[in-house]
Amino acid sequence: MIASKRILITGGAGFIGSHLCERLLKDGHEVLCVDNFFTGRRQNIAHLLDEKRFELLRHDVTFPLYVEVDQIYNLACPASPVHYQFDPVQTTKTSVMGAINMLGLAKRLRKPILQASTSEVYGDPTVHPQVESYWGNVNPIGPRSCYDEGKRCAETLFFDYHRQHKLEIKVIRIFNTYGPRMHPQDGRVVSNFIVQALRGEDITLYGDGLQTRSFCYVDDLASGLVKMMATPSEVTGPINLGNPVEFTMRQLAERILALTDSKSKIVHRPLPQDDPKQRQPNINVAKKILEWEPTVQLEQGLQSTIHYFDNLLRGHQHPIS
């Protein structure tokens, strides 16, 4: 029996954060969910509010936080281009100041802290698939750099706190993740395609549609986060978490059209600046150290996600806003 812990999740009302809250509650822990609701949504965690071991605190991580916890998962940051480019200065502050504040809390408590980093630290990669030792190919002054460089700086801070203060850190790099509770207007490809298909609107493919992504179902990712936190103190990462099975954007669009039985047409739009052409994780380190790899196949995960969005559009769940 695992001893119950009090666990802080920043960004806990977000897409991934809410699933992690559920997972840790299911494992018998107390969860302190912290979110400022910039992109997180109260409806994502509404079903948890009556749970005695769940606590919700509205707070912006760019300001210090003083609480007593046993572990910290730092997930707070807008994660889709639509949201992180809306206020790029705040995005950078959330990544950098948020990391400083949460690391300061972990240092005071002498407790482990996990940083949810991103595959975006690799930029538009020249190494494929991406391995953790690759330093990346990032434009430091482009429209995506508020997120890319913010997350890179956060990783720097984590390892400096580890070296300078002997803090127990865990850094994972999240690759494309999808599933129920994705924000319907976050501009990410899975939610975009599903909503467009269900509404019978044109499905927008950027560029030639041959750029690739790898899609990890959110339950698999949450499992990887928990496994990483449970590793011995000498395991710091960074470790890639994602699904290594690669699909082109056109293949994804065609799969969603088939699953939704939609009559939507595929149309092409110009490729956004600095949009990576390839994105695929090498997860050999996760397999070896965490004994983790995804188990949910794309078709199965898409069906659950389509069901969620179908209910949302029909008004059976909270309205799109």
Side-chain angles (χ1 to χ4, degrees):
M1 178 85 178
I2 298 173
S4 176
K5 292 182 170 62
R6 180 167 164 80
I7 301 175
L8 167 62
I9 305 174
T10 71
F15 159 51
I16 293 173
S18 64
H19 285 274
L20 181 60
C21 287
E22 277 184 342
R23 168 61 191 263
L24 292 172
L25 286 169
K26 184 180 177 183
D27 288 349
H29 300 294
E30 294 180 36
V31 172
L32 173 57
C33 169
V34 169
D35 208 295
N36 70 346
F37 296 104
F38 175 62
T39 56
R41 296 185 296 167
R42 188 173 290 270
Q43 57 261 43
N44 286 344
I45 44 87
H47 61 296
L48 304 177
L49 293 175
D50 291 333
E51 167 62 58
K52 291 180 180 178
R53 290 177 289 109
F54 181 79
E55 183 181 350
L56 174 63
L57 175 64
R58 186 167 194 148
H59 180 82
D60 187 328
V61 295
T62 61
F63 298 95
L65 180 64
Y66 303 100
V67 293
E68 300 296 321
V69 294
D70 300 307
Q71 295 177 345
I72 302 168
Y73 288 82
N74 186 38
L75 274 62
C77 191
S80 72
V82 167
H83 291 141
Y84 65 64
Q85 291 175 14
F86 174 76
D87 189 345
V89 172
Q90 186 64 25
T91 295
T92 303
K93 286 174 68 177
T94 301
S95 284
V96 178
M97 294 304 301
I100 290 170
N101 288 328
M102 290 305 110
L103 285 162
L105 176 62
K107 178 177 171 245
R108 179 178 73 80
L109 298 173
R110 303 310 303 176
K111 299 296 184 181
I113 179 169
L114 181 146
Q115 167 67 2
S117 191
T118 171
S119 60
E120 297 295 336
V121 300
Y122 299 122
D124 190 4
T126 56
V127 170
H128 190 74
Q130 289 79 62
V131 292
E132 289 86 350
S133 57
Y134 175 52
W135 289 357
N137 177 38
V138 177
N139 176 1
I141 58 170
R144 299 171 68 104
S145 54
C146 58
Y147 184 67
D148 302 1
E149 295 289 29
K151 287 288 193 178
R152 284 162 69 94
C153 184
E155 287 196 15
T156 300
L157 286 161
F158 266 69
F159 279 90
D160 283 340
Y161 265 77
H162 173 66
R163 286 183 287 259
Q164 187 173 337
H165 301 297
K166 305 297 185 282
L167 188 64
E168 183 178 348
I169 65 163
K170 313 286 180 185
V171 177
I172 54 94
R173 291 172 176 164
I174 298 173
F175 282 69
N176 289 65
T177 302
Y178 72 101
R181 296 189 214 128
M182 294 183 81
H183 197 293
Q185 295 168 332
D186 67 4
R188 290 191 239 198
V189 64
V190 172
S191 50
N192 267 7
F193 286 0
I194 290 175
V195 170
Q196 288 169 341
L198 290 172
R199 286 176 166 166
E201 299 170 353
D202 290 342
I203 288 186
T204 50
L205 269 186
Y206 293 99
D208 56 13
L210 298 181
Q211 63 271 35
T212 64
R213 295 291 185 274
S214 309
F215 301 101
C216 182
Y217 191 64
V218 66
D219 288 353
D220 281 333
L221 183 78
S223 174
L225 295 173
V226 171
K227 281 178 175 283
M228 182 62 173
M229 184 61 94
T231 55
S233 59
E234 62 269 17
V235 177
T236 61
I239 294 181
N240 291 336
L241 291 182
N243 195 319
V245 180
E246 194 176 18
F247 294 89
T248 68
M249 296 299 91
R250 175 167 282 278
Q251 286 174 322
L252 177 68
E254 290 169 348
R255 185 75 59 91
I256 288 171
L257 282 172
L259 288 172
T260 56
D261 195 27
S262 174
K263 301 295 188 281
S264 295
K265 303 285 192 297
I266 294 176
V267 298
H268 290 265
R269 297 284 183 267
L271 196 66
Q273 182 181 342
D274 299 330
D275 192 53
K277 312 297 187 300
Q278 294 178 309
R279 187 54 58 72
Q280 180 190 18
N282 179 310
I283 62 167
N284 289 341
V285 176
K287 286 181 178 178
K288 180 179 179 181
I289 295 178
L290 306 182
E291 298 182 347
W292 175 90
E293 61 182 311
T295 60
V296 179
Q297 300 300 313
L298 183 65
E299 191 119 344
Q300 178 187 351
L302 284 177
Q303 286 173 339
S304 297
T305 311
I306 288 166
H307 178 71
Y308 168 79
F309 279 116
D310 191 38
N311 282 335
L312 202 66
L313 292 171
R314 293 174 186 270
H316 296 163
Q317 297 184 35
H318 291 277
I320 293 176
S321 59

